[in-house]
Amino acid sequence: EAGVAQSPRYKIIEKRQSVAFWCNPISGHATLYWYQQILGQGPKLLIQFQNNGVVDDSQLPKDRFSAERLKGVDSTLKIQPAKLEDSAVYLCASSLGGPLETQYFGPGTRLLVL
Amino acid sequence: AQTVTQSQPEMSVQEAETVTLSCTYDTSENNYYLFWYKQPPSRQMILVIRQEAYKQQNATENRFSVNFQKAAKSFSLKISDSQLGDTAMYFCAFMKQGTPLVFGKGTRLSVIA
């Protein structure tokens, strides 16, 4: 069974530029999560999708971050414009059903904003 | 809001020895779930073990076991017969129904040959 795929693995941009990350969850997984993991900290949920609907985006900085999951499969997370403090690893995870199901994580995208 | 505290930023253990990682949490809930995740260097985060708060028996997965003390709000992870492949960041996490996973800051474990 293929795992959660993410691309790119690494990205370096300058502040005020925009960037997009892509995630393909495990086939059949209804729930998809985007986390931000700042160096030295645990992951923090940005947004949770159930199929193509948003379940929780309370911690998503909506003035600069956006995410979509069209067709309820893969998802993109965008930052526009990026700030220095957005430097982090962005993790995508998926689970078969709701949040009490085991979450499977992708390898992450490491973003550096200069 | 729930908080998760891992008081040991770094730990090391000799191969084949036993190590215990600490985790405490703060909640007023009675029903919740606790997890330990492992994040090896440059690799995916994976679930090690989970515990439902309503279960009194401590969860066990092969060499990994937990000591769940509900009254003390403590959830430690014991790794027996440590192996070099156990070298990783370990995150303790808390979740209650309807809310997202809350992670601690992690403990970096090094297994020394």
Side-chain angles (χ1 to χ4, degrees), chain A residues 22-74:
Chain A
W22 174 81
C23 171
N24 191 24
I26 293 173
S27 177
H29 280 198
T31 308
L32 186 147
Y33 313 80
W34 282 102
Y35 290 88
Q36 181 191 57
Q37 185 177 17
I38 293 173
L39 187 65
Q41 298 183 21
K44 182 187 80 171
L45 181 72
L46 292 174
I47 189 167
Q48 175 187 338
F49 292 95
Q50 181 87 14
N51 297 309
N52 60 351
V54 175
V55 174
D56 185 347
D57 64 356
S58 58
Q59 299 188 89
L60 186 75
K62 298 180 185 66
D63 58 333
R64 297 183 302 105
F65 286 65
S66 64
E68 60 183 12
R69 192 185 183 197
L70 301 175
K71 301 181 182 179
V73 181
D74 55 353

